[in-house]
Amino acid sequence: MAKTPKFANAKVFAWVDKWNKICTPDKIVVVTGTKKEHLAICEMMVKKGQFIKLNSKKRPDCYLARSHESDVARVEGRTFICSKKEIDAGPTNHWMDPVEMKKKMEKAYKGSMKGRTMYVIPFAMGPIGNPITQYGIEITDSPYVVVNMNIMTRTGDAVMKHLGKDGDFIPCIHSVGAPLKKGQKDVAWPCAKKIEDKYITQFPEDREIWSFGSGYGGNALLGKKCFALRIASKLAKDEGWMAEHMLILTLTSPEKKQYHVTAAFPSACGKTNLAMMLPKLPGWKLQTIGDDIAWLKPGDDGRLYAINPENGFFGVAPGTSMDSNPNALKSCKKGTIFTNVVLTPDGDIWWEDMGVKAPKEGTDWKGNPCYVCADDPYRMGPKPGMTKAEIKAMGYVAAHKNSRFTAPAENCPVLDKAGFNGLYNKKPTGVPIDAILFGGRRPSTIPLVNEAKSWTHGVFMGSAAGSEVTAAVISDQIGQVRRDPMAMLPFFGYNVADYFQHWLEMERTSADATKLPKIYFVNWFRKGDDGRFMWPGFGDNSRVLKWICQRIEGQVKANETPIGNIPFPEDIDLTNNDEKAKFHVVKADLEEILKVDVEGWKKEIATVGASYDEYDKKPSKDSKEENLAAHRVPKALRQVLADVTAALAK
Ligand code: OXD
Ligand code: MN
């Protein structure tokens, strides 16, 4: 067994020592966070066949990993919230008694790091020293996790120093669950192969994260979904702030006025694209603060101040192109780890809808050869000379649909450096938020943009959010609409109805509720009967953001409808709308997507009501706990539901 290293912080020592004894690694390495150490780990992985070094002229310090086929996305079915009472996890979470779960998982961790190195990663969620930042330590036996955590969070000595002798941290234990026997050769992607052997477990009352069996993304980079959303949402509820699945952007108008906007869209619905968008409207500038998670704290002035707790982007690769998101592609130019994309013969990477012609041949995400398609230079197939139709019929993709890039935020050409570093007016805090957007992929009914009439109405809008299921999760429901309140369905650290109540409380407890952000629901994904998109999206979304800024300033009227305040079509600025371009705003479509589809909305509201009824039920079929009134959907939201229903019936 390895010797537990010395730590100045007694809690850190005791905790590492405990897991050393349970997991029995061969060696322990405390991550210092230097670039030299980071690259040495990457090179060690290259030697072991776990990373492929990319062409250093084209992509300096970039690597490619290929995961096991069972380990390509978050596993919601194996994600647990282990609060003492099942009702506190609520009906949207998987629950197990925390004592039982710990017993079960400790068995799995026993000897799980044999033959491996245990890495101890001190990390900060947010700029070190910022009042909104929180700290964690992840123990892991995965070097892939170490180097991804180095990009996604601020890691190393500086964090340990900040913790000092008695600083507190969220303990996060992770093992891929694949011990090595003496002399046994490692595989390219160690993990527990069976889905039922994977556990992604949060203990919100103990404030601990235990993850076992998966090496992928949100299952294994524990600062991200497990800490910054599930555990943090519970911390936030207890302490009066908000941990949300939101991008943060800074928008500057031609008059040089700055606005800060957050937006909550479900996984793989374009948060990264909006966060880095190039505005089509002349004179408007957009800068990125974060693309996935926002922590918002109320200030003494009643405003909400937000930081991005992360340090990098874990973006979905397919679909990211110079057209859709040039700034994301530029962010991947150096120091990036790619997972499950195509390797080209010149040591570069490729994926579907990258807007780049496919190489003649390459290696697909499974490590098999792939070849340019016979009738579409932008596609690849598993055999030479295949047609697009043949490839489509097979359901083949050369880069996995949830293949990812892990890119340092500092690479982003439009990073708002001050906001990203948690500075506002040169002081360490967050940026004051002017507008909160909710959204999702909704092919019908939901208009382009809809403004809430009040905070409560905005909370209702968020609670009613839904989207088509995407490949970001292993699911048999891809493409179907599922309710995803506040885009947080997979990430609530506690009961969904209590979470709604917490949002309502933010108004009640605000020092000045008139200063809270205005709330909007946006939908870039409306489709016509022929399946075409009715809104071009991407840079054209700046037209919607401009309208939102004008509403904040009280400069433009809105159509006050039963479902909310919708723009009059003539108030959407169409400057620079090149009608000859492939993607542009079609005026007739714009008019259509700004109408209230009354019959569609009646159905929509009925399904929202049905989702509320689900949230009001017992936490699970077999639960011994009844759902008492304290954990039901707040009356204020039921009232909005009733009001909208009545208004639609008129
Ligand atoms: C993500 C997700 O990876 O939401 O950000 O799945
Ligand atoms: Mn996400």
Side-chain angles (χ1 to χ4, degrees), residues 121-267:
I121 318 169
F123 65 95
M125 297 312 294
I128 297 172
N130 187 285
I132 306 182
T133 296
Q134 305 261 344
Y135 303 88
I137 302 186
E138 177 162 354
I139 289 177
T140 180
D141 53 5
S142 161
Y144 173 88
V145 165
V146 176
V147 289
N148 276 271
M149 282 292 282
N150 279 341
I151 298 173
M152 293 307 296
T153 70
R154 291 141 172 111
T155 56
D157 284 348
V159 178
M160 212 52 123
K161 196 164 157 220
H162 185 86
L163 286 181
K165 284 201 171 122
D166 48 16
D168 213 359
F169 62 96
I170 299 292
C172 310
I173 170 77
H174 170 253
S175 171
V176 291
L180 292 168
K181 292 199 189 83
K182 226 180 162 101
Q184 185 184 344
K185 198 173 169 307
D186 206 355
V187 292
W189 186 273
C191 66
K193 308 281 178 294
K194 286 199 264 166
I195 213 114
E196 60 274 22
D197 292 336
K198 301 183 202 266
Y199 292 87
I200 321 300
T201 308
Q202 286 69 205
F203 300 95
E205 284 127 358
D206 300 338
R207 300 183 172 181
E208 286 176 25
I209 298 159
W210 292 28
S211 166
F212 186 88
S214 167
Y216 201 83
N219 302 328
L221 312 178
L222 301 185
K224 195 172 180 58
K225 304 301 184 182
C226 303
F227 181 170
L229 290 176
R230 298 194 190 99
I231 291 293
S233 64
K234 174 70 164 74
L235 295 178
K237 174 178 178 280
D238 294 347
E239 296 168 4
W241 52 281
M242 306 169 93
E244 302 297 331
H245 193 202
M246 291 176 176
L247 66 88
I248 312 171
L249 61 85
T250 304
L251 195 62
T252 309
S253 72
E255 297 75 36
K256 303 282 174 279
K257 175 132 198 222
Q258 277 203 343
Y259 301 88
H260 296 105
V261 177
T262 64
F265 306 159
S267 307

Side-chain angles (χ1 to χ4, degrees), residues 427-533:
K427 285 204 207 82
T429 168
V431 292
I433 299 303
D434 299 290
I436 293 176
L437 276 48
F438 294 114
R441 286 178 193 269
R442 296 299 306 271
S444 66
T445 314
I446 310 298
L448 176 66
V449 52
N450 183 12
E451 180 188 73
K453 298 176 184 188
S454 64
W455 181 261
T456 304
H457 184 217
V459 177
F460 168 80
M461 280 181 171
S463 77
S467 191
E468 289 177 2
V469 177
T470 66
V473 53
I474 294 176
S475 170
D476 54 9
Q477 292 172 358
I478 292 179
Q480 293 175 31
V481 171
R482 77 165 174 183
R483 291 284 141 203
D484 191 348
M486 279 82 171
M488 281 286 283
L489 183 71
F491 310 122
F492 293 124
Y494 60 99
N495 188 310
V496 54
D498 297 348
Y499 170 89
F500 293 162
Q501 183 59 39
H502 180 55
W503 266 77
L504 296 173
E505 290 292 312
M506 293 307 293
E507 183 185 35
R508 200 182 57 77
T509 55
S510 172
D512 179 355
T514 64
K515 301 273 170 52
L516 285 173
K518 276 169 118 34
I519 301 180
Y520 297 81
F521 203 103
V522 297
N523 179 23
W524 320 134
F525 298 94
R526 274 285 287 274
K527 282 187 177 166
D529 297 338
D530 53 359
R532 79 184 185 289
F533 282 108

